[in-house]
Amino acid sequence: MSEYTYVTTSRSQDGRVARIMLNRPEARNAQNRGMLVELDHALMAAEADDSVRVVILGGEGPMFSAGHDMGSKVRLVERTPGPNQHPSTLVNGGTRAGAEQRMLQEWHHFFNNTRRWRDLRKITIAEVHGKVYAAALMLAWSCDLIVAAEETTFADVVGTRLGMCGVEYFAHPWEFGLRKTKELMLTGDSIDAEEAYRLGSVSKVFPADSLRADTDAFAARIAALPTMTALLIKEAVNQTADNMGFHNALNACFSLHQINHSHWAEMHEDKVPRAHESDGVANWKDAPPVTPAVKDRPGLEVASVAAPSEAG
């Protein structure tokens, strides 16, 4: 897989920094299965190359990523039996039925891959800009450091648009704090790069027009550190988080995510595993714009959203 369709790769002149870019700007870098498989391959290639010390993960186009691909033609083709069906949909639970299929497929491609990327033996930097929504948070949070363009906003709208309790790799409380996570999940509101920096989720905030150059310079500085030093700093911090419960919390929240899917699939005749408008959420296809979480205002008026049914 030397040629990719949905990601691009490059190396710094000295070979110490690998850059991987999501390359589906026409779809706002929505994460279809092909992209995730290619991303994993590119990350594993950087992991295997001993000359690489730092990996940058960014996105082409106007935004880092809109999250999971919810319904593009590419996604449909990938999952439809035929010559263009993605091979990953036929293994790792892909041929099983019901909730088992969804649980195994999401464990492999939305959860365990993200956790594996978090534990790469290289230092990783997410370079984000524009909107970082839902599953895009997972990609950024799998990285050791996050640098953001000044106009970047972060939000998880799966609660208010899909009736879900967050994305599969639920690192929200560790990134935003407990009460802020509840607020953002219950409202679907966003925070900006400055707030993410204040919370400690973002390391640097750079001007948009110098984001790439500033990130490259930041990465080069880190790449100058001895590799063993960098590795053990990363491992010390990650092991501390794991001993505080991070690893177990991720596992537990993934299971809750699957229960949430199964609830909606059971509730609806069409078996679609997410909330419908009749359950009290906005239609994800034409939901109102995400609005900022503001300290002294309640936020977006919700009168246009249907009242939840008793069954929801």
Side-chain angles (χ1 to χ4, degrees):
M1 195 183 294
S2 58
E3 295 293 332
Y4 297 120
T5 301
Y6 303 112
V7 303
T8 63
T9 62
S10 60
R11 300 291 171 88
S12 60
Q13 189 170 5
D14 62 8
R16 290 183 168 189
V17 179
R19 176 177 280 275
I20 302 172
M21 300 293 287
L22 309 179
N23 190 33
R24 202 182 170 208
E26 75 286 353
R28 302 181 299 168
N29 291 323
Q31 300 162 33
N32 60 304
R33 180 60 59 81
M35 173 185 282
L36 291 173
V37 170
E38 289 184 0
L39 176 58
D40 184 59
H41 187 279
L43 285 166
M44 293 305 108
E47 173 89 327
D49 188 340
D50 286 346
S51 66
V52 173
R53 299 184 173 201
V54 177
V55 181
I56 298 170
L57 173 60
E60 301 288 359
M63 62 188 295
F64 174 66
S65 174
H68 287 147
D69 187 335
M70 293 289 293
S72 74
K73 291 181 180 179
V74 170
R75 180 188 186 276
L76 180 63
V77 168
E78 286 180 334
R79 295 166 182 261
T80 301
N84 296 316
Q85 184 176 9
H86 199 279
S88 71
T89 63
L90 299 172
V91 296
N92 291 323
T95 62
R96 303 282 173 84
E100 182 183 12
Q101 180 192 65
R102 182 171 54 250
M103 183 173 185
L104 289 174
Q105 284 275 292
E106 291 198 352
W107 188 89
H108 281 281
H109 296 288
F110 297 158
F111 176 67
N112 198 48
N113 59 349
T114 311
R115 188 167 57 180
R116 181 171 62 253
W117 301 336
R118 178 252 189 182
D119 290 329
L120 288 181
R121 304 293 82 186
K122 308 291 172 73
I123 301 302
T124 53
I125 302 174
E127 176 192 274
V128 301
H129 68 288
K131 296 177 175 61
V132 184
Y133 286 176
L137 295 170
M138 303 199 316
L139 296 189
W141 289 343
S142 72
C143 295
D144 299 304
L145 302 168
I146 301 174
V147 299
E150 289 173 334
E151 87 293 352
T152 308
T153 56
F154 303 84
D156 190 348
V157 296
V158 301
T160 56
R161 297 186 182 184
L162 302 179
M164 294 297 297
C165 58
V167 289
E168 294 80 2
Y169 182 90
F170 193 78
H172 305 57
W174 305 84
E175 297 286 342
F176 294 149
L178 300 179
R179 287 186 174 82
K180 198 65 179 179
T181 293
K182 291 176 183 178
E183 175 195 346
L184 297 178
M185 290 299 305
L186 291 168
T187 64
D189 288 346
S190 66
I191 61 171
D192 60 17
E194 289 296 331
E195 178 71 358
Y197 177 80
R198 188 189 68 79
L199 291 171
S201 184
V202 164
S203 301
K204 300 288 184 182
V205 180
F206 296 135
D209 58 3
S210 64
L211 176 63
R212 181 160 184 155
D214 287 340
T215 305
D216 286 342
F218 188 43
R221 179 184 177 191
I222 294 168
L225 197 67
T227 54
M228 186 61 167
T229 304
L231 173 61
L232 293 185
I233 289 172
K234 173 172 182 167
E235 189 66 4
V237 175
N238 282 6
Q239 285 198 25
T240 298
D242 288 341
N243 285 324
M244 293 168 65
F246 180 71
H247 181 91
N248 289 336
L250 287 182
N251 285 328
C253 291
F254 177 75
S255 296
L256 292 174
H257 183 93
Q258 297 307 313
I259 292 172
N260 207 164
H261 272 315
S262 295
H263 168 75
W264 293 124
E266 185 175 337
M267 293 299 300
H268 302 134
E269 290 186 6
D270 61 11
K271 303 302 181 184
V272 173
R274 55 173 170 77
H276 294 8
E277 287 178 88
S278 59
D279 301 306
V281 299
N283 187 311
W284 67 271
K285 292 182 179 180
D286 54 9
V290 174
T291 56
V294 180
K295 181 176 66 174
D296 57 354
R297 294 205 299 272
L300 181 69
E301 294 294 330
V302 296
S304 61
V305 179
S309 65
E310 292 183 6

